[in-house]
Amino acid sequence: HHSLAYLIAGLESNGEYLDVSRYAMGKISIREIRRDPANGKLVIRDYWPEDYPNTPFLVVPDAVSSDPRNRPWYQAAKVNGAPVWTDAYVFLGQTGQMDKPGFTYATPVFDSNKKLQGVIGTDFTLDTLCTFLASMRGTREATFFVVEVRDGDTDRVIAHPEPDKIMRQEGVDSPHYELIPEGAIRDPILSAFLESLPNEIGEVGSRLDAPFRFLAEGEAYWGGYCRLLDPSGPHWVICGAVNEAMAMEEVRRNNRI
């Protein structure tokens, strides 16, 4: 599927790793992360399928941040001891930098003695979801987005028609991207909507029987939401906001006739 970004596998014993990934232009690549026998450091090698395993097109010799055992998908599966959907996080991209947000369905692998051998997973980027939400924005009156509910942590907006409103670049020496915490989002409509949400949105299957009204920059909006029903699925709340005046403009015009 075009939203599938990576098939991944990491080893518990030494942190070595293998993935098959899809570039933005649709081309497939293979990434190996193995330890250098000379110094024990992890080394990234990326290959086109036809060149594997002899001729990498990219080599990152000291990929200290690439140990999969420290990544959110690996940790989530290890702690859970069973298949799990991760919270959204920023993937390690093709350049070796954290540059693309997404989420993972990760499964721990055990031997016959129930000792963890590693974790395998499937990664999905949020780009496709953001593009889909943008396609639903047929008119400028309505905005749809996705909120991730995180137990014991701040909720986050993980998908929006304008991704730059929910992501920011951090760091100077090693620049990377991260999702903006809910309280730091600068979009006035989005911020006002989030402030109006009740605490109950975290409950599985919670939904609003009727839309709620809120104000942003002096204008009235109507909002609604629905929490995904599957308790074992992603912890997402699908949200929508509509500008009241613009949505009702046609109705008011007809009433004046």
Side-chain angles (χ1 to χ4, degrees):
H1 193 272
H2 59 275
S3 64
L4 177 62
Y6 300 88
L7 295 173
I8 54 180
L11 295 179
E12 175 69 11
S13 60
N14 57 12
E16 293 187 341
Y17 167 93
L18 177 70
D19 78 39
V20 178
S21 62
R22 185 195 312 274
Y23 272 66
M25 61 282 204
K27 193 168 184 179
I28 301 297
S29 70
I30 298 169
R31 167 166 290 183
E32 275 190 342
I33 302 179
R34 294 188 179 274
R35 293 201 177 271
D36 187 332
N39 56 30
K41 294 181 178 180
L42 290 171
V43 178
I44 293 176
R45 290 183 176 87
D46 285 354
Y47 304 84
W48 301 125
E50 61 271 21
D51 297 329
Y52 181 82
N54 298 316
T55 311
F57 65 84
L58 174 70
V59 177
V60 182
D62 188 5
V64 64
S65 64
S66 301
D67 190 328
R69 297 170 297 182
N70 299 324
R71 300 294 290 145
W73 58 273
Y74 197 103
Q75 289 290 322
K78 183 176 181 178
V79 170
N80 198 54
V84 62
W85 289 97
T86 70
D87 290 340
Y89 64 100
V90 181
F91 294 161
L92 183 70
Q94 275 91 7
T95 63
Q97 301 296 325
M98 307 300 182
D99 66 359
K100 188 177 287 293
F103 59 99
T104 301
Y105 184 71
T107 302
V109 178
F110 300 93
D111 65 14
S112 59
N113 296 316
K114 298 184 178 181
K115 181 179 179 181
L116 181 68
Q117 298 300 297
V119 175
I120 59 176
T122 304
D123 287 353
F124 301 87
T125 67
L126 292 171
D127 293 353
T128 303
L129 185 53
C130 291
T131 301
F132 172 70
L133 294 176
S135 72
M136 296 177 63
R137 209 175 189 177
T139 59
R140 62 193 182 98
E141 302 96 26
T143 299
F144 298 93
F145 53 95
V146 179
V147 174
E148 178 181 74
V149 179
R150 302 195 295 166
D151 294 335
D153 207 341
T154 305
D155 297 344
R156 298 180 302 185
V157 179
I158 62 167
H160 189 277
E162 300 175 56
D164 59 330
K165 290 188 175 182
I166 61 171
M167 285 195 66
R168 64 187 177 193
Q169 186 171 350
E170 292 290 320
V172 177
D173 297 330
S174 299
H176 62 279
Y177 287 89
E178 67 177 20
L179 290 161
I180 300 174
E182 184 178 290
I185 290 176
R186 301 188 181 279
D187 180 82
I189 299 172
L190 198 52
S191 296
F193 180 101
L194 295 172
E195 289 174 4
S196 302
L197 284 177
N199 294 330
E200 290 76 16
I201 68 165
E203 297 177 3
V204 173
S206 63
R207 64 180 67 220
L208 207 62
D209 293 329
F212 61 91
R213 192 171 186 266
F214 66 96
L215 297 176
E217 294 189 313
E219 292 192 63
Y221 290 81
W222 289 99
Y225 67 88
C226 179
R227 171 78 151 82
L228 294 188
L229 297 176
D230 185 356
S232 64
H235 303 163
W236 292 358
V237 180
I238 313 302
C239 304
V242 180
N243 182 290
E244 180 184 73
M246 298 182 72
M248 297 298 293
E249 183 177 349
E250 189 67 27
V251 175
R252 293 190 177 110
R253 183 183 299 113
N254 291 336
N255 288 340
R256 288 195 296 266
I257 296 175

Short mmCIF file of all heavy atoms in Angstrom, two decimals, residues 46 57 147 176 189 201 224-225 255:
data_model
loop_
_atom_site.label_atom_id
_atom_site.label_comp_id
_atom_site.label_asym_id
_atom_site.label_seq_id
_atom_site.Cartn_x
_atom_site.Cartn_y
_atom_site.Cartn_z
N ASP A 46 22.73 1.63 2.95
CA ASP A 46 21.50 1.61 2.16
C ASP A 46 21.82 1.13 0.75
O ASP A 46 22.82 1.55 0.15
CB ASP A 46 20.88 3.00 2.09
CG ASP A 46 20.21 3.40 3.39
OD1 ASP A 46 20.12 2.56 4.30
OD2 ASP A 46 19.77 4.56 3.49
N PHE A 57 24.46 2.70 -1.74
CA PHE A 57 24.50 4.07 -2.26
C PHE A 57 24.64 5.08 -1.13
O PHE A 57 24.88 6.26 -1.37
CB PHE A 57 23.25 4.38 -3.09
CG PHE A 57 21.95 4.39 -2.32
CD1 PHE A 57 21.53 5.51 -1.62
CD2 PHE A 57 21.14 3.26 -2.32
CE1 PHE A 57 20.33 5.52 -0.92
CE2 PHE A 57 19.93 3.26 -1.63
CZ PHE A 57 19.53 4.39 -0.93
N VAL A 147 -6.42 13.73 16.52
CA VAL A 147 -5.77 13.91 17.81
C VAL A 147 -5.40 12.53 18.36
O VAL A 147 -6.20 11.59 18.32
CB VAL A 147 -6.69 14.63 18.81
CG1 VAL A 147 -6.06 14.67 20.20
CG2 VAL A 147 -6.99 16.05 18.34
N HIS A 176 16.33 17.98 13.31
CA HIS A 176 15.34 16.92 13.18
C HIS A 176 13.96 17.52 13.36
O HIS A 176 13.82 18.66 13.80
CB HIS A 176 15.57 15.82 14.22
CG HIS A 176 15.44 16.31 15.63
ND1 HIS A 176 16.47 16.97 16.29
CD2 HIS A 176 14.41 16.26 16.51
CE1 HIS A 176 16.07 17.30 17.51
NE2 HIS A 176 14.83 16.89 17.67
N ILE A 189 -7.54 28.46 15.41
CA ILE A 189 -8.73 27.62 15.32
C ILE A 189 -8.47 26.27 15.98
O ILE A 189 -9.27 25.76 16.77
CB ILE A 189 -9.16 27.44 13.85
CG1 ILE A 189 -9.49 28.79 13.23
CG2 ILE A 189 -10.34 26.49 13.74
CD1 ILE A 189 -9.74 28.74 11.73
N ILE A 201 -12.82 12.48 25.79
CA ILE A 201 -12.46 12.03 24.44
C ILE A 201 -11.51 10.85 24.48
O ILE A 201 -11.37 10.13 23.50
CB ILE A 201 -11.86 13.16 23.59
CG1 ILE A 201 -10.48 13.58 24.11
CG2 ILE A 201 -12.79 14.33 23.47
CD1 ILE A 201 -9.70 14.39 23.13
N GLY A 224 -16.83 18.84 16.16
CA GLY A 224 -17.29 17.50 16.50
C GLY A 224 -16.13 16.53 16.51
O GLY A 224 -15.05 16.83 15.99
N TYR A 225 -16.31 15.37 17.13
CA TYR A 225 -15.24 14.39 17.21
C TYR A 225 -15.80 12.99 17.37
O TYR A 225 -16.96 12.79 17.76
CB TYR A 225 -14.30 14.70 18.37
CG TYR A 225 -14.95 14.53 19.72
CD1 TYR A 225 -14.96 13.30 20.38
CD2 TYR A 225 -15.57 15.61 20.36
CE1 TYR A 225 -15.56 13.14 21.61
CE2 TYR A 225 -16.17 15.46 21.59
CZ TYR A 225 -16.16 14.22 22.22
OH TYR A 225 -16.76 14.06 23.43
N ASN A 255 -33.02 32.56 3.50
CA ASN A 255 -33.99 33.12 4.44
C ASN A 255 -34.29 34.58 4.13
O ASN A 255 -35.37 35.07 4.47
CB ASN A 255 -33.45 33.01 5.87
CG ASN A 255 -33.48 31.58 6.37
OD1 ASN A 255 -34.20 30.75 5.84
ND2 ASN A 255 -32.70 31.30 7.40
#
